[in-house]
Structure formats: structure tokens, C-alpha cells
Amino acid sequence: MSETDTDSRFENETLHIGRWRETAEPGSGDPALLTEVPEQYNVVIVSGERGHDAIPDFRPARFSRQEFRAQVDALHEQGRTVLLAIGGPDARVDLRDGQEEALFERLIELTDDFGFDGVVLELAQSAARAGDNRIVIPAALKATRLHHSAEGRAFRIGLTAGAGDAGSAAEGDLPFGEELEGHYDFVARDGHVERA
């Protein structure tokens, strides 16, 4: 764990990770509301990030900002952590050197507006290597974590492994693992969670 960790509850719990997809529709079998994610999951990853002005962003399509924030707050009241997924199978994140501040500001906006407790990077190796992502994303995440720590808040960073493109990376490669060494909290790998 990072020395800036301000949430020992997260550090000491076994993480059970659930997912909520912004595109889930009633009757699809997936939770339509964030609050419908079963309580057995103490960490809920929100999928639905989309780029806005080339910077990863999140805007709920089926709820107002206030309605979505109320759902996040309800999960917080249950002691659960809510993380925003950056990336995914069709992600086109292609940041350039100099966009660190813009990404940092967007992350602050998302955590303040929606109550996200951090992010999970779900970028395949090819997306992780696109543009200057390996420079911009870690710099912005470290700055966001430092900002939250100065305010006495935790900012969680999760990484995923096994999302590599066929033939593009050695099995077991961890996108951003080296760049974020000492700054991420957990790795989700093939359905298992490993602590940092």
C-alpha cells in the first residue's frame, strides 16, 4: 500500500469486485441501477467511460448527475467502494504529452461530481502503448492521488491484466505496472484480485 493511503478499511478487506455497465437495460439480467449490484461486492467498477475532447470522461446516459451521485452515495453508505473503469474492449484512449493536467482536472471533476473513489485501468497493451498514454496516464493518476491525499481522501488505482491483444504482449504483462509501481492498490487478473 502507498504511504498516502488514508483508508485502512480498503487495505484490510478481501476485495470482491462487481461491475455495473452504464448500458445495462432493465430485463437484460444485468443490474439497471448501480444500487442493484449485489451487496456481496464491496468494490463496484462502473463501465461506461467515454472520451470527451480526447480525455477519458463519464456522463451517465440514463440518469441525471444528481440521480447517479445519489446511487454512488447509497453504495458508500453501505461501506462499498465505487471505481470508474478507464478503457475497455473498444477503448480509443490516445493521449499526448502535455495532456497530463487536463486528465488530472477531469479525474478531480469525476471524483468530486460523481463520488468515484478512484479508477481501474482496463486498457489492452495496444491501447496502453498508444500515443503518450504510458507517460500521461500515470502522471495524472499520481497527481490525483496526491491531491486527494492532501485533502485526507483516498484515491484508489486498480490495474487489469490479461486484457492484452492477441500476439501483442507476453502473457502476464501488466499495462502500466512499471509506471505505477508503488501507486496502485490491486490487480484484477483472470477473475482473481491481487493486492499491490
Side-chain angles (χ1 to χ4, degrees):
M1 276 301 142
S2 164
E3 290 182 23
T4 61
D5 190 354
T6 60
D7 185 357
S8 60
R9 177 193 54 78
F10 189 92
E11 180 179 332
N12 296 323
E13 280 188 10
T14 300
L15 303 183
H16 300 283
I17 297 179
R19 182 171 298 273
W20 180 81
R21 290 174 177 79
E22 223 269 320
T23 56
E25 294 294 331
S28 68
D30 290 327
L33 299 173
L34 185 60
T35 51
E36 292 175 348
V37 174
E39 287 190 40
Q40 70 194 52
Y41 299 111
N42 56 1
V43 177
V44 178
I45 298 174
V46 172
S47 297
E49 170 269 322
R50 59 187 59 86
H52 176 74
D53 299 330
I55 303 294
D57 199 3
F58 175 80
R59 298 289 180 258
R62 295 180 292 122
F63 306 103
S64 71
R65 285 174 177 251
Q66 295 79 12
E67 290 169 334
F68 186 81
R69 177 60 191 255
Q71 292 182 60
V72 172
D73 290 344
L75 267 62
H76 286 158
E77 288 175 13
Q78 296 170 352
R80 301 203 270 172
T81 299
V82 183
L83 305 175
L84 176 65
I86 294 181
D90 302 319
R92 296 182 184 269
V93 179
D94 188 2
L95 299 169
R96 299 295 171 191
D97 190 30
Q99 290 186 300
E100 295 88 346
E101 183 70 20
L103 180 56
F104 164 76
E105 290 173 1
R106 181 65 48 79
L107 292 169
I108 297 301
E109 175 189 335
L110 292 172
T111 54
D112 288 350
D113 287 359
F114 297 112
F116 290 117
D117 300 299
V119 299
V120 176
L121 296 179
E122 296 187 333
L123 294 171
Q125 287 291 345
S126 61
R129 290 191 305 266
D132 296 317
N133 286 348
R134 287 207 182 260
I135 297 167
V136 175
I137 292 173
L141 291 177
K142 290 174 188 177
T144 305
R145 191 166 206 167
L146 187 62
H147 171 85
H148 279 72
S149 178
E151 293 186 344
R153 299 188 298 167
F155 179 78
R156 299 292 169 208
I157 300 172
L159 306 179
T160 57
D165 309 291
S168 70
E171 188 166 334
D173 262 359
L174 181 61
F176 301 103
E178 184 176 323
E179 295 87 346
L180 288 168
E181 183 66 39
H183 296 277
Y184 61 87
D185 296 288
F186 67 90
V187 176
R189 187 189 310 268
D190 298 324
H192 301 285
V193 178
E194 303 167 10
R195 291 288 188 169

